[in-house]
Each structure stands twice: as structure tokens, then as C-alpha cells.
Amino acid sequence: MKALFASHQRTKLDPTSDTLFYEMPRFVTHVDDGFIQQLTDLYRERLQPGMRVFDMMSSWVSHLPDNMASEWVEGHGLNGEELAKNPRLDHYFVQNLNEHDQLPLADQSFDAVLNTVSVQYLQYPEAVFAEIYRILKPGGIAIVRPFRIACFTKKRSPPGAMPVKPNECIW
């Protein structure tokens, strides 16, 4: 697999484990209402009722349309308390993808994989995207929506990859 970043580009300003950073739940919204509406509209346009959905790097909110019934929504994130509060998840698991990039999910088991405003925190995105490909059913869809800035600047990878402007993170 071709590496996207050199080893020096995979470091973060804060070298501690992301598991420790996300240990305390943050029941906050990291994006504004306009962004959430656009994302929900995109999901409504691209996803179909009855799909098996993997909500990767999720939290207490999934942004899926309220009136869209999925066959199954599997959640993944770094804080179990946040994931437990997400009413759209049928099941979830906690895993640090920067330390363990192999997903404990069956091959070709999901119609859709979603990643919202989190891809910029991956140190090995090529390995994670290979896993996305592995778990997607043939013809499946992956929707990866990065944010224009990274709110947790010390945890993004590679450092300096995304601009940060004061007062632009929604807490």
C-alpha cells in the first residue's frame, strides 16, 4: 500500500494516546446548524432506507435523517459514554484507529460508511481507507466529510494540514 504521508508527517503536536484525550465525554456540537443541515440533506440524498450503515469516528450524534430507517447502524468512536447516548446506533464499539486500524467488522457487511469531521485526525488514513473498502458491500458508498478546520489542533494529522482560525470551532 502506498503511504500518503512520510513518517515525520504522521506525528502530532500532542503525542499522547488519543484514547486518553477522548477519555472524558464531550457532549458538544463541533459544527454549526447550517453544516449539520447540509450533511443531513446529503445523507438523505445518497442513503436509502434499509441500509446497513457504519458511522465511523462517531459521537453522541450521527446526523442521519430522522425519518430514514436503517436496517442497522454500527457506531465507532473513542468515547463509550458519548456513543451510548447516540439514539441512532444499534451497536457501537470503542477503538483507537491510530493504534489499531483493523476494524472488527466482516468483509462486505455495510452498504454505507460515514465519517463526519474526523478524517483529519487519522495518522494512517490509507490503512483506514483500505478497511472502509474491505467492509463495504459491492456498490456501497463511503461519505467522508472533513471539516474546513480541525477543532482539536494538537490531535490532527499531519500537523498544519488544516488551517485553524480563532472562534471557528462550535462548542
Side-chain angles (χ1 to χ4, degrees), residues 1-6 9-12 56-57 97-99 101-103 115 118-133 144 156-158 161:
M1 176 183 328
K2 182 174 167 67
L4 295 177
F5 301 125
Q9 292 175 308
R10 295 181 192 278
T11 60
K12 297 181 179 188
M56 172 186 272
M57 300 174 81
L97 294 175
N98 286 328
E99 295 175 4
D101 55 32
Q102 292 185 331
L103 296 168
N115 183 299
S118 296
V119 70
Q120 65 269 23
Y121 302 112
L122 292 173
Q123 289 178 278
Y124 300 90
E126 60 274 43
V128 175
F129 276 81
E131 282 293 287
I132 290 171
Y133 179 78
V144 179
R156 72 174 184 249
S157 183

Side-chain angles (χ1 to χ4, degrees), residues 27-47:
F27 294 103
V28 296
T29 304
H30 300 284
V31 293
D32 62 34
D33 290 341
F35 180 97
I36 292 169
Q37 187 60 56
Q38 287 179 345
L39 185 64
T40 302
D41 290 345
L42 175 66
Y43 290 165
R44 186 176 293 110
E45 177 185 321
R46 301 292 177 140
L47 303 178

Side-chain angles (χ1 to χ4, degrees), residues 49-110:
M51 286 182 137
R52 290 182 50 83
V53 176
F54 178 47
D55 191 2
M56 172 186 272
M57 300 174 81
S58 189
S59 183
W60 64 288
V61 127
S62 287
H63 309 299
L64 292 165
D66 288 335
N67 58 351
M68 183 178 292
S70 301
E71 178 185 327
W72 184 265
V73 179
E74 181 79 23
H76 156 266
L78 279 172
N79 187 282
E81 285 182 65
E82 290 180 12
L83 294 167
K85 296 282 186 188
N86 188 329
R88 297 307 303 268
L89 302 180
D90 294 299
H91 182 263
Y92 66 86
F93 64 96
V94 174
Q95 179 177 329
N96 184 342
L97 294 175
N98 286 328
E99 295 175 4
H100 307 285
D101 55 32
Q102 292 185 331
L103 296 168
L105 303 168
D107 294 357
Q108 300 181 357
S109 55
F110 290 92

